[in-house]
Amino acid sequence: QVQLVETGGGLVQAGGSLRLTCAASRLTFSIYAMGWFRQAPGKEREFVAAISTGGVTTSYAESVKGRFTISRDNAKNTAQLQMNSLKPEDTAVYYCAARHISIATVDNQYNYWGQGTQVTVSS
C-alpha cells in the first residue's frame, strides 16, 4: 500500500554533495512527519534529520548539523535531504521514513520506511 522510494544516492568524494529525494505514494503525505535515518555496516541505524508536517520544524543529528538540510514539498509528495561537505563517515544506507503527525528521532516510532539508497563517500 504505502510506498516510500529513495533516490539520489551514489559515490562521491569527500567534500562533495548529494541530494536525496524520498517520493511517497498511497500516503496522505501532509499529515506525516518525515525523517531520514542511516545505517553503516556493523553499526546500528541512527537518526539523521526530521521535518514536521508543514515543514516549519526540523531536527538534526549533531553529526550532520550545518552540513545537511531536510526539506519537503507537500504538493509533490516528496522529502529531500541535501547533503553538503560529505565525509567518509557519512557512508551508509540512507532510509526515508514517515511518522503520523509528529516528528521523532527514534526509529521505532516511525510507521513507514523506504528500502534505502546507498551513499558512499571516498577519501
Side-chain angles (χ1 to χ4, degrees):
Q1 188 182 352
V2 173
Q3 186 175 38
L4 303 177
V5 178
E6 305 96 333
T7 57
L11 175 64
V12 66
Q13 291 186 324
S17 298
L18 286 173
R19 186 173 189 263
L20 306 183
T21 297
C22 174
S25 60
R26 297 183 178 89
L27 176 74
T28 306
F29 188 74
S30 62
I31 64 169
Y32 282 82
M34 301 299 296
W36 289 93
F37 293 78
R38 67 187 182 186
Q39 187 167 26
K43 295 186 177 181
E44 297 291 322
R45 185 165 57 194
E46 66 174 348
F47 169 76
V48 176
I51 189 167
S52 62
T53 55
V56 175
T57 303
T58 58
S59 182
Y60 296 92
E62 287 296 321
S63 60
V64 307
K65 193 172 296 182
R67 300 188 297 121
F68 292 8
T69 303
I70 189 170
S71 60
R72 67 188 295 155
D73 187 339
N74 287 352
K76 297 180 179 179
N77 284 9
T78 59
Q80 298 80 40
L81 185 68
Q82 180 66 46
M83 309 164 67
N84 298 329
S85 301
L86 283 162
K87 305 174 181 179
E89 49 263 48
D90 295 317
T91 295
V93 176
Y94 283 70
Y95 297 91
C96 173
R99 183 175 190 264
H100 189 230
I101 301 178
S102 57
I103 65 172
T105 60
V106 181
D107 56 2
N108 63 13
Q109 294 190 18
Y110 281 77
N111 302 106
Y112 303 107
W113 292 83
Q115 292 186 330
T117 186
Q118 177 71 47
V119 172
T120 302
V121 184
S122 62
S123 60

